[in-house]
Amino acid sequence: MSPGYDPMDDDSDSCSIMSGSGRYAPSMASSATSYDWEMRSASPAPSVYSMTDSLVRAAFRHEFGRGINNYSEVYRLPADDEEFERLDKQHIMFMEVMGRYPPPMEEILADSPDEHKSVVDLGCGSGSWIMDVARDFPHCSAVAVDLVPMQVRNMPPNCRSEVDDINLGLQHFYGVYNVAHARLVCSGVRDYKGFIDHIARVLRPGGLIELTEFDFAAYNKHKVKIVLNHKDANRCWIGRWMILAHEAVEQMGGEPDAANHLRRWVGENDAFEDIVYRQFWFQTSPFRKGDDQETIRQNAIGAVMRDDILAFLKSGRPLLLSSGMDEAVVNEVEANACRELLEARTPSYILVEKVYARKKLTT
């Protein structure tokens, strides 16, 4: 989750977990940045970057044993191979549970002789989502935007990587895209409501916005958020770790609660219509008892989410430690959270919230 710049219960939200060159949309010249290295890619840009030693030194630095982007002091999660492997697996889980694409997307991206279609993934992370789009819609231009260049062998020819920090604004993308997607970027976005306003201008009339976030919190078995003054904070270690992560994201300048405001923020923007909001409750481990098909299905999803969270605990160390938290406290909470997840005896949930909407044809 790396940035570049009808409620349902858990039983109905989830489904089983499975056991060069191209035509580019036109874009205005990139705006200036304060960075010494020209961090913003020119548009259109090469579809694949060659990671020279100088580019590696410019793009990355090591903190607390992980590779961190060198351009944003807000986003403190890793941008290394270990993190991208986690995000690739997470993408498969999300696709299985939440669906591949929102229903309007096929219609919006249908091939047309009158308009070359284009899609942007803002904060693409490992690039799994945008590369799926590039393969599924080969007539479209697919643009991956992140703080570090996307390094993928066999990148589809209609896909390109751009290095950018979305906190610097998206003016150079205004009016360019038919679909704009962002997933789990709130930890690196300073002004998420403003980010949505920018996306409204990035989209062409009739275009699609899709946003997916979680709120850096764990929920108890009753789906009540675990907070510091809640009794569950004393007996749920993953809840306590999420409280630390929430504090760290907020301290570094991100918006950890953005997920809880997505529906309102999109709804308050006059550019959007046909707004759809969904909640997805993920078990943090396979804690359910029983051998019926629904229990087996939910526990399978819970096992995948558990593995994702275990990797996320490691990914979160640079975030927590760079915010000034005591390493002994981080170590204690992390170790106990790992044990709790592996034992799968403490029921808890992660809430993922999704909003998609169409841009009005006339505003």
Side-chain angles (χ1 to χ4, degrees):
M1 48 197 186
S2 169
Y5 179 12
D6 29 311
M8 303 168 138
D9 62 26
D10 60 315
D11 292 317
S12 60
D13 281 340
S14 307
C15 65
S16 61
I17 296 292
M18 291 181 184
S19 323
S21 66
R23 293 179 300 163
Y24 299 135
S27 176
M28 291 182 288
S30 299
S31 54
T33 104
S34 59
Y35 296 117
D36 293 335
W37 185 70
E38 188 179 359
M39 189 264 293
R40 285 193 154 181
S41 303
S43 299
S47 58
V48 179
Y49 279 87
S50 175
M51 282 299 272
T52 63
D53 289 343
S54 61
L55 184 54
V56 170
R57 286 193 297 271
F60 299 92
R61 70 174 180 262
H62 274 78
E63 283 187 4
F64 308 104
R66 300 297 296 269
I68 306 294
N69 85 85
N70 213 21
Y71 304 118
S72 173
E73 292 303 320
V74 181
Y75 188 74
R76 296 286 84 197
L77 291 172
D80 54 21
D81 288 345
E82 185 176 347
E83 176 70 352
F84 290 158
E85 181 179 353
R86 180 183 79 83
L87 294 176
D88 285 341
K89 294 176 181 177
Q90 182 188 81
H91 171 68
I92 295 171
M93 174 179 65
F94 280 176
M95 187 169 55
E96 287 294 312
V97 173
M98 297 190 286
R100 195 170 184 88
Y101 305 119
M105 193 150 150
E106 291 227 12
E107 173 201 339
I108 292 169
L109 293 183
D111 200 0
S112 169
D114 302 320
E115 180 186 27
H116 178 63
K117 305 297 178 66
S118 57
V119 182
V120 65
D121 191 3
L122 298 163
C124 67
S126 66
S128 294
W129 185 88
I130 193 66
M131 286 193 295
D132 278 355
V133 172
R135 296 183 187 107
D136 292 341
F137 302 92
H139 57 279
C140 297
S141 295
V143 180
V145 177
D146 211 309
L147 289 162
V148 298
M150 193 168 69
Q151 287 301 293
V152 179
R153 292 184 178 181
N154 302 317
M155 187 185 292
N158 59 324
C159 184
R160 76 174 188 265
S161 172
E162 295 204 7
V163 180
D164 209 341
D165 181 352
I166 58 179
N167 287 308
L168 300 176
L170 301 175
Q171 291 87 345
H172 52 304
F173 288 147
Y174 281 3
V176 172
Y177 295 103
N178 300 92
V179 174
H181 170 269
R183 183 168 71 192
L184 306 184
V185 301
C186 70
S187 64
V189 176
R190 289 187 182 275
D191 175 14
Y192 206 104
K193 186 175 187 297
F195 176 51
I196 292 172
D197 293 341
H198 272 284
I199 292 176
R201 299 186 181 190
V202 163
L203 289 172
R204 296 169 180 168
L208 176 74
I209 181 176
E210 183 187 17
L211 305 171
T212 304
E213 299 290 348
F214 95 110
D215 56 0
F216 283 85
Y219 291 72
N220 67 15
K221 63 183 178 181
H222 304 296
K223 297 179 181 174
V224 174
K225 185 180 291 190
I226 297 171
V227 295
L228 276 175
N229 60 354
H230 196 281
K231 62 182 180 180
D232 288 304
N234 295 319
R235 60 191 184 197
C236 178
W237 285 98
I238 187 59
R240 291 168 70 175
W241 190 92
M242 288 295 177
I243 290 168
L244 295 182
H246 186 284
E247 291 176 354
V249 168
E250 198 165 44
Q251 181 176 327
M252 300 305 290
E255 291 205 54
D257 292 313
N260 306 146
H261 305 294
L262 290 182
R263 175 165 52 178
R264 177 170 60 85
W265 286 341
V266 173
E268 289 174 350
N269 192 304
D270 291 338
F272 295 116
E273 62 183 359
D274 300 333
I275 299 167
V276 176
Y277 168 75
R278 296 192 68 191
Q279 294 181 334
F280 298 88
W281 292 95
F282 289 85
Q283 294 179 201
T284 61
S285 65
F287 57 73
R288 294 194 183 199
K289 307 299 181 183
D291 56 5
D292 59 282
Q293 285 301 112
E294 183 58 23
T295 295
I296 292 171
R297 182 165 67 97
Q298 294 293 336
N299 278 341
I301 297 165
V304 177
M305 177 55 87
R306 174 202 58 202
D307 292 344
D308 179 67
I309 298 172
L310 287 170
F312 187 51
L313 295 179
K314 295 172 62 180
S315 297
R317 285 184 65 83
L319 168 67
L320 271 58
L321 295 175
S322 63
S323 73
M325 292 184 183
D326 184 87
E327 188 169 8
V329 173
V330 173
N331 289 343
E332 179 191 19
V333 177
E334 180 184 335
N336 283 290
C338 287
R339 188 193 71 248
E340 179 180 271
L341 291 168
L342 291 169
E343 289 176 351
R345 292 191 302 215
T346 304
S348 59
Y349 292 87
I350 298 295
L351 172 61
V352 176
E353 300 179 70
K354 177 188 289 286
V355 169
Y356 63 88
R358 299 287 295 269
K359 183 175 179 177
K360 296 175 183 176
L361 292 174
T362 58
T363 56

